[in-house]
Amino acid sequence: MLRHSISLFALALLPATATAQKDFVANYDEDKIAPFQLPDPLQTESGDQVTDAEMWTSVRRPELVKLFQSHVYGRGPAACKITHKQVSTTEDALGGKALRREVDVFFGNPGESPSMRLLIYTPKSASSKSAAFLGLNFQGNHTVDPDPTISLNTSWVRSRQGTTDENRSTESARGVASSRWPVEMIIDRGYALVTIYYGDIDPDFDDGFENGIHGHFKSETESIPQGERWGSIAAWAYGLSRALDYLQQDDSVDGSRVAVFGHSRLGKTSLWAGASDPRFKLVISNNSGCGGAALSRRAVGETVGRINTSFPHWFSDNFVQYNENENACPVDQHQLIALMAPRAVYVASATEDRWADPKGEFLACVHADPVFRLLGTDGMGGAEPPAKMPEADAAIKSGTIGYHLRTGKHDVTAYDWSQYLDFADRNLK
Ligand code: GTR
């Protein structure tokens, strides 16, 4: 876990942000948004217009990845060698429809490095390797399905009434997140599902570099300038990429057709994983909001200042410079969406999730659209991107950028999954 050691610069900001946290009042009024100009995804830092795919790929894309590393998420070590160990195999999961396996993937050699446990479901009806959804979960693999034979995660978890005891999960946690993980529906549609507890990679609290992969890669991390060191989102994304390294060697999953999925902070993570690792074929952000799909410059709902104060370990130290100062940031989140091009990306919002700024999430897609079109795809579909937000529950899913605004609260529902599956049928099969 990353300790935000306090630079002189941040020190000067601290009292102000602490006050901002206490007195923070979210803005939801479109008329109160301060005027802003979005940085152009298709203009290079030296001011040249990107005119073709070659220039995007060789100049602008790498430039943008670097800007997001330096100013937003931070930079981690190069890909490490992974090793793996089979933990369990169940031939007849989900009433015989799926093969279910647990595989430990180590960030180095077993015994010397931390590991994450992959819970893998593959459809038994498949005649060849299956395309897969890969997503991190919040409370442990044993929470995605009530099956008592899934191993109970024993690492640190955030305490929750009824399902934890001194920050360890209990038997009563089994299946509590199952409404967010419709495993059978995914298998019935012919896809594999791979999930990992995000705390296996890095526990979600600030403990000063001690545990998780931040601690494991201590010397590599210390060789990176302080302000640019990876936060937890970048660490979780690194874990997703190492999981993909494993899936590319798996016998039942097709590692060249993997969709990375995440909700909320893990939606921010799936976007950064997809942006920094072009091997992900489809990228899905469910209600990711600030630091995810929502435009930071709108500062509607959760803001950069607010998120850096509540969750100081999620982003790089440099990101703190943009607290109440979003216009000074050289990037905004439409450029993050653009980094998926020409691959497919889907952004989902919810009507009651105003904290995540649904309109800001939609506009990020609209402003990413020109990059997708330059690269020869149809962007959000149609001749040009939609001029206004779609109605609730009217998904835009015919193009390369999908978007919907679901009725309801901050959550993952069967409606969300059924859109992702339709979108995957067109972009992953
Ligand atoms: C909230 C945070 C959001 C979102 C969410 C979550 O408290 O403000 O940015 O990440 O947590 O991940 O559940």
Side-chain angles (χ1 to χ4, degrees):
M1 186 61 43
L2 176 65
R3 152 152 351 256
H4 270 242
S5 79
I6 298 170
S7 66
L8 283 179
F9 176 77
L11 199 61
L13 279 170
L14 256 188
T17 47
T19 322
Q21 160 95 335
K22 207 163 97 250
D23 303 337
F24 182 77
V25 180
N27 175 46
Y28 294 110
D29 184 346
E30 291 287 323
D31 296 334
K32 290 200 178 123
I33 298 173
F36 63 82
Q37 206 181 353
L38 289 176
D40 184 349
L42 291 174
Q43 194 182 85
T44 67
E45 286 208 272
S46 52
D48 296 326
Q49 203 60 28
V50 178
T51 47
D52 56 31
E54 210 289 308
M55 194 172 169
W56 168 260
T57 309
S58 64
V59 182
R60 184 54 170 160
R61 190 179 191 285
E63 201 172 85
L64 278 173
V65 171
K66 255 209 185 110
L67 288 170
F68 276 104
Q69 285 175 334
S70 309
H71 297 269
V72 183
Y73 302 103
R75 179 149 59 82
C80 64
K81 178 193 99 170
I82 55 148
T83 53
H84 71 272
K85 212 162 79 189
Q86 290 280 343
V87 176
S88 74
T89 305
T90 305
E91 295 285 346
D92 56 355
L94 305 175
K97 286 181 180 174
L99 172 71
R100 195 194 66 216
R101 289 169 296 150
E102 294 176 303
V103 176
D104 282 348
V105 172
F106 295 83
F107 296 89
N109 290 321
E112 297 167 4
S113 52
S115 63
M116 54 187 170
R117 182 159 292 178
L118 276 56
L119 175 66
I120 306 175
Y121 288 90
T122 45
K124 282 172 68 178
S125 58
S127 53
S128 56
K129 291 186 177 191
S130 305
F133 289 88
L134 166 66
L136 300 178
N137 65 69
F138 280 92
Q139 300 182 68
N141 294 346
H142 58 285
T143 65
V144 312
D145 189 271
D147 186 331
T149 61
I150 298 173
S151 64
L152 188 82
N153 191 289
T154 55
S155 359
W156 179 93
V157 282
R158 188 162 306 289
S159 92
R160 282 175 214 249
Q161 226 188 352
T163 62
T164 61
D165 183 15
E166 293 186 16
N167 294 108
R168 304 288 148 183
S169 211
T170 63
E171 285 291 329
S172 51
R174 292 194 176 282
V176 293
S178 59
S179 67
R180 289 183 173 181
W181 298 95
V183 190
E184 198 161 344
M185 171 178 171
I186 296 167
I187 291 292
D188 285 346
R189 295 278 296 254
Y191 293 93
L193 174 67
V194 184
T195 186
I196 305 161
Y197 171 51
Y198 80 135
D200 280 0
I201 303 167
D202 222 13
D204 192 1
F205 65 92
D206 194 351
D207 77 334
F209 270 121
E210 289 309 312
N211 59 20
I213 62 172
H214 273 135
H216 181 64
F217 293 114
K218 202 175 172 106
S219 60
E220 289 88 339
T221 303
E222 283 169 359
S223 71
I224 299 165
Q226 179 76 51
E228 295 183 24
R229 291 181 190 166
W230 51 341
S232 292
I233 290 173
W236 298 323
Y238 183 91
L240 285 166
S241 284
R242 301 294 73 78
L244 183 56
D245 293 346
Y246 166 75
L247 293 175
Q248 297 200 322
Q249 324 166 9
D250 189 82
D251 291 337
S252 309
V253 169
D254 181 351
S256 69
R257 291 184 299 138
V258 174
V260 62
F261 155 85
H263 168 60
S264 206
R265 71 197 66 181
L266 300 178
K268 308 180 208 298
T269 303
S270 62
L271 287 172
W272 181 234
S276 51
D277 189 339
R279 295 174 304 165
F280 289 111
K281 275 283 160 328
L282 163 60
V283 181
I284 302 168
S285 149
N286 194 91
N287 306 179
S288 63
C290 181
L295 293 175
S296 298
R297 279 165 171 73
R298 282 169 51 81
V300 166
E302 186 172 35
T303 63
V304 172
R306 171 65 193 220
I307 204 166
N308 279 329
T309 312
S310 319
F311 305 103
H313 58 291
W314 283 1
F315 298 88
S316 69
D317 279 7
N318 277 349
F319 197 42
V320 173
Q321 298 171 60
Y322 309 111
N323 290 358
E324 291 81 49
N325 186 28
E326 296 84 357
N327 279 302
C329 187
V331 287
D332 208 322
Q333 302 304 105
H334 61 304
Q335 295 170 309
L336 181 67
I337 308 289
L339 286 174
M340 313 310 163
R343 295 165 296 148
V345 57
Y346 199 110
V347 172
S349 312
T351 53
E352 291 166 33
D353 188 20
R354 295 165 70 216
W355 184 241
D357 186 19
K359 185 163 178 189
E361 296 186 312
F362 168 73
L363 288 175
C365 296
V366 170
H367 291 288
D369 179 281
V371 177
F372 286 80
R373 291 184 197 261
L374 180 76
L375 300 187
T377 84
D378 54 354
M380 297 186 85
E384 47 187 53
K388 59 181 188 46
M389 270 184 93
E391 297 295 312
D393 309 318
I396 297 173
K397 54 182 171 182
S398 68
T400 316
I401 308 174
Y403 176 83
H404 72 244
L405 173 68
R406 167 181 51 75
T407 299
K409 63 181 175 63
H410 185 72
D411 198 1
V412 193
T413 69
Y415 175 86
D416 296 317
W417 273 105
S418 104
Q419 311 317 310
Y420 303 151
L421 287 159
D422 290 349
F423 197 65
D425 285 349
R426 292 193 34 259
N427 292 292
L428 204 58
K429 273 224 161 126

